[in-house]
Amino acid sequence: MTKKLHIKTYGCQMNVYDSARLAELLAPQGYALSDDAEGADLVVLNTCHIREKAAEKVYSELGRLRQRQDERAAAGGELRIAVAGCVAQAEGPEIMRRAPFVAAVVGPQSYHRLPAMLAGAPGAVATEFPAAEKFAALARQPTRPAASAFLTVQEGCDKFCTFCVVPYTRGSEFSRPAADLLAEAERLVAIGAREVTLLGQNVNAWHGAGPDGAPWTLGRLIRALAALPGLERLRYMTSHPLEMDDDLIAAHAEVPQLMPFLHLPVQSGSDRILRAMNRRHDADAYRRIIDRLRAAQPDLALSSDFIVGFPGETDADHKATLALIRDVGFAQAFSFKYSPRPGTPAATIEQQVPDHVMTARLAELQALVMRQQLAFNRACVGRTMDVLIDRPGKRPGQWIGKSPYMQSVVVDGPADWQGHLVETFIVDGYQNSLNGRVHGAASAAAA
Ligand code: SAM
Ligand code: SF4
C-alpha cells in the first residue's frame, strides 16, 4: 500500500537536494512524496542550523506534529516523524530526550540510513560522517525533474570561519568523483534538465581525478559537463573567494553554457573583521578577484552574503562594508544579522553588538543593495535574453522563468511552456523581477 511522505525543508539548496534524494530513498518502502502534511504517514523535518532559533523552531514544529501523531493514533493510524539535517547533527541525543516520540534522527551525512532505521527499533540516532558511503547509496531521480536541477558535487567545509557551524554539522570537505558527477548529470539531462546548478558548501573547492586520470578542479569539471549534449546552462554555488583559481575564472570567458552570474560571499568589507572571521582574505583581495572575473566575463552579474554586527564591528567597519558594496555593485545579495552559534569561536567573543545597532546597520546595507538591484534590473529593459521557463505565474497564461542573471522574468505564453527556453525582450524592470515579451522561436524542453 502506498504511504504518504511529507518532507519539510529548511535552509539552503543543499537541503533541497538532500530532501529530493531522501524521497527517492524512501520510495522503495512504498512512500510517495506529498507537498501536504495532512494525512501523512511519515513526516521528515530536514533542518538548518545556520542561524539562531533554528533548534527552537524545530522543537515547536515537533510539538505540533506530536499532536497530529496523537490524533492519528486515536483514529487507529500511525504518523512517524524523523528529523534530518544540521539541527539533527548538532542536537541528535537532545532531540531524542526532548521528543522521544521521534522515530529517527539522521545527520546530513547519514540520511541514506533512514530507510533501515525506520524499519528497525524506534529512537535511533545516526550522526556519523560517511559522505562517500552516502553518495554511493543514493538512488537517482526516477522521476522527471524540473528543467533546472541541482547536483551536489562537494560537501562540508574545512575553512572554520569563526561564526559558522557548517564545519561541525556537515563535516570536512568531501568531493564526489568526477565520473559519478558526469554520469549523474547525463541522467539529469536525459530526464529533462536543461540547466544544472552544481552545489557545495565550498563548491569551488571541488577537486578530484578526472576520468582521464589527471587532477581536475572545478573549472575542468565545468568544461566536461558543458560538453554533454543537451546541457544548456551551468551554474555553481556557493563559492569561497580563496578558491577562485585562474582556470575557473577563465571558464567564465570560455564556456558559453556557464551563466554570467556568480554568488561569491564576502561577509564584510573590513579587513579587521575579515581577520576576526578567519576568512583568510582581505577586502582588496576580494575586489581583485572581481576585477579578474569581470575581465574574463564583462557581462557578469554578482551576488554575495554579508553579516552585519559581527562581534566587535564598529561604525567604521560597517562603513568599509558599504564602501565595498558601492565599489563592486551587486545584482542582488543576502544579508544577515550576526547570530551567535553555540560551539563556534565568535560566540564567546565578549563585544557582541547590541541588537538595535545590528538592526540599523542591516537596514542601511539592505537599502543600498536594493538600490543596486533595482538599477541592475532596470538596466535590463530593452535587452533580449534567454529565459528558462520553470513555473506557472499567478494568472492563467502567465509563466515565470529565470534569466541568465538569476532574475525572475514574467512572460505570457501557451500552456505547454514548462521547461522551454524562450528568447525574451525585457519590457520592465522592478525590484525583484522583470516583465518580458517573448519573441523568436521557443526551444522546446528535451523529450
Ligand atoms: N560557504 C559559504 C561561504 O563561504 O560564504 C556560505 C555558507 S553559509 C551556509 C551561508 C551564509 O550564512 C554565509 O555566507 C553567511 O553569510 C551566513 N551565516 C553563516 N553563519 C552565520 C551566523 N552565525 N550569523 C549570521 N549569518 C551567518
Ligand atoms: Fe561556513 Fe562558508 Fe566559512 Fe565554511 S567557508 S565555515 S561554510 S561560511
Side-chain angles (χ1 to χ4, degrees):
M1 197 188 72
T2 307
K3 292 174 278 184
K4 190 167 163 182
L5 163 69
H6 176 71
I7 305 182
K8 184 161 180 180
T9 307
Y10 303 77
C12 65
Q13 280 87 350
M14 303 211 49
N15 270 11
V16 175
Y17 178 91
D18 288 350
S19 291
R21 302 290 78 69
L22 263 168
E24 290 164 13
L25 280 169
L26 290 162
Q29 294 197 343
Y31 284 106
L33 187 63
S34 166
D35 284 344
D36 162 26
E38 197 54 48
D41 300 287
L42 172 63
V43 172
V44 181
L45 301 182
N46 194 8
T47 60
C48 169
H49 204 228
I50 201 80
R51 276 173 290 279
E52 224 170 358
K53 302 202 179 93
E56 284 320 307
K57 275 190 210 146
V58 172
Y59 288 119
S60 340
E61 185 65 31
L62 285 174
R64 283 190 287 276
L65 286 172
R66 188 196 186 148
Q67 274 182 7
R68 270 176 197 242
Q69 200 176 40
D70 290 346
E71 286 158 17
R72 276 298 282 282
E78 189 189 21
L79 164 60
R80 306 183 82 197
I81 301 162
V83 183
C86 292
V87 174
Q89 185 68 38
E91 299 254 324
E94 180 65 7
I95 293 174
M96 278 306 171
R97 197 185 63 75
R98 287 177 61 177
F101 51 89
V102 166
V105 174
V106 283
Q109 304 299 4
S110 308
Y111 68 76
H112 56 294
R113 296 186 182 155
L114 186 61
M117 289 163 71
L118 289 172
V125 177
T127 49
E128 300 84 18
F129 287 103
E133 179 191 309
K134 177 183 79 174
F135 283 112
L138 292 181
R140 249 337 302 187
Q141 314 251 49
T143 50
R144 188 183 171 89
S148 178
F150 291 135
L151 173 54
T152 293
V153 304
Q154 182 279 339
E155 279 218 81
C157 181
D158 298 333
K159 304 278 189 310
F160 290 93
C161 298
T162 54
F163 53 82
C164 185
V165 287
V166 167
Y168 311 98
T169 57
R170 289 263 173 178
S172 56
E173 284 177 12
F174 170 78
S175 294
R176 296 180 63 196
D180 293 5
L181 296 170
L182 291 167
E184 190 166 327
E186 220 168 336
R187 282 195 294 273
L188 286 169
V189 173
I191 55 173
R194 314 184 80 179
E195 172 177 275
V196 170
T197 301
L198 311 178
L199 296 180
Q201 264 92 24
N202 274 274
V203 68
N204 57 345
W206 180 87
H207 61 96
D212 55 0
W216 282 16
T217 51
L218 191 68
R220 184 69 190 80
L221 179 68
I222 284 171
R223 288 165 214 267
L225 288 166
L228 294 178
L231 183 42
E232 292 167 79
R233 288 179 158 196
L234 276 165
R235 305 179 184 276
Y236 59 97
M237 72 181 291
T238 297
S239 295
H240 192 290
L242 274 187
E243 275 128 355
M244 289 308 304
D245 65 30
D246 290 345
D247 189 46
L248 184 54
I249 290 175
H252 281 273
E254 294 160 10
V255 180
Q257 292 88 340
L258 189 57
M259 290 293 98
F261 175 87
L262 180 65
H263 180 64
L264 189 62
V266 61
Q267 316 296 355
S268 170
S270 153
D271 291 344
R272 210 175 61 80
I273 295 297
L274 287 168
R275 252 193 319 279
M277 287 177 163
N278 189 32
R279 289 291 290 183
R280 294 190 270 158
H281 60 80
D282 60 21
D284 277 345
Y286 185 85
R287 287 182 175 89
R288 283 195 298 276
I289 292 166
I290 301 299
D291 289 346
R292 284 162 59 215
L293 280 160
R294 283 187 166 144
Q297 169 53 287
D299 190 32
L300 191 70
L302 288 154
S303 158
S304 195
D305 288 344
F306 297 94
I307 294 178
V308 301
F310 184 84
E313 186 189 71
T314 61
D315 279 342
D317 295 319
H318 175 62
K319 287 203 166 63
T321 302
L322 299 178
L324 180 133
I325 296 173
R326 278 190 207 99
D327 289 351
V328 172
F330 291 95
Q332 55 167 271
F334 300 93
S335 46
F336 315 97
K337 284 185 197 175
Y338 167 72
S339 162
R341 310 311 296 126
T344 59
T348 59
I349 302 176
E350 273 175 15
Q351 313 135 278
Q352 300 287 324
V353 174
D355 191 61
H356 70 275
V357 176
M358 287 205 266
T359 303
R361 287 182 188 163
L362 188 65
E364 191 180 11
L365 188 155
Q366 288 183 338
L368 173 58
V369 166
M370 282 174 72
R371 284 198 296 279
Q372 294 190 340
Q373 183 176 13
L374 182 60
F376 179 74
N377 288 348
R378 286 198 176 143
C380 291
V381 175
R383 289 183 60 186
T384 296
M385 52 184 79
D386 284 344
V387 172
L388 182 59
I389 300 294
D390 60 10
R391 62 183 194 279
K394 280 194 187 135
R395 56 171 176 75
Q398 197 178 58
W399 288 97
I400 302 176
K402 279 276 171 299
S403 77
Y405 315 102
M406 284 299 277
Q407 298 139 302
S408 291
V409 187
V410 182
V411 294
D412 285 336
D416 63 349
W417 260 14
Q418 181 74 41
H420 281 56
L421 204 51
V422 293
E423 201 182 51
T424 304
F425 178 76
I426 304 301
V427 180
D428 274 318
Y430 307 110
Q431 185 64 55
N432 293 311
S433 65
L434 305 176
N435 263 3
R437 195 168 54 236
V438 175
H439 61 76
S443 87

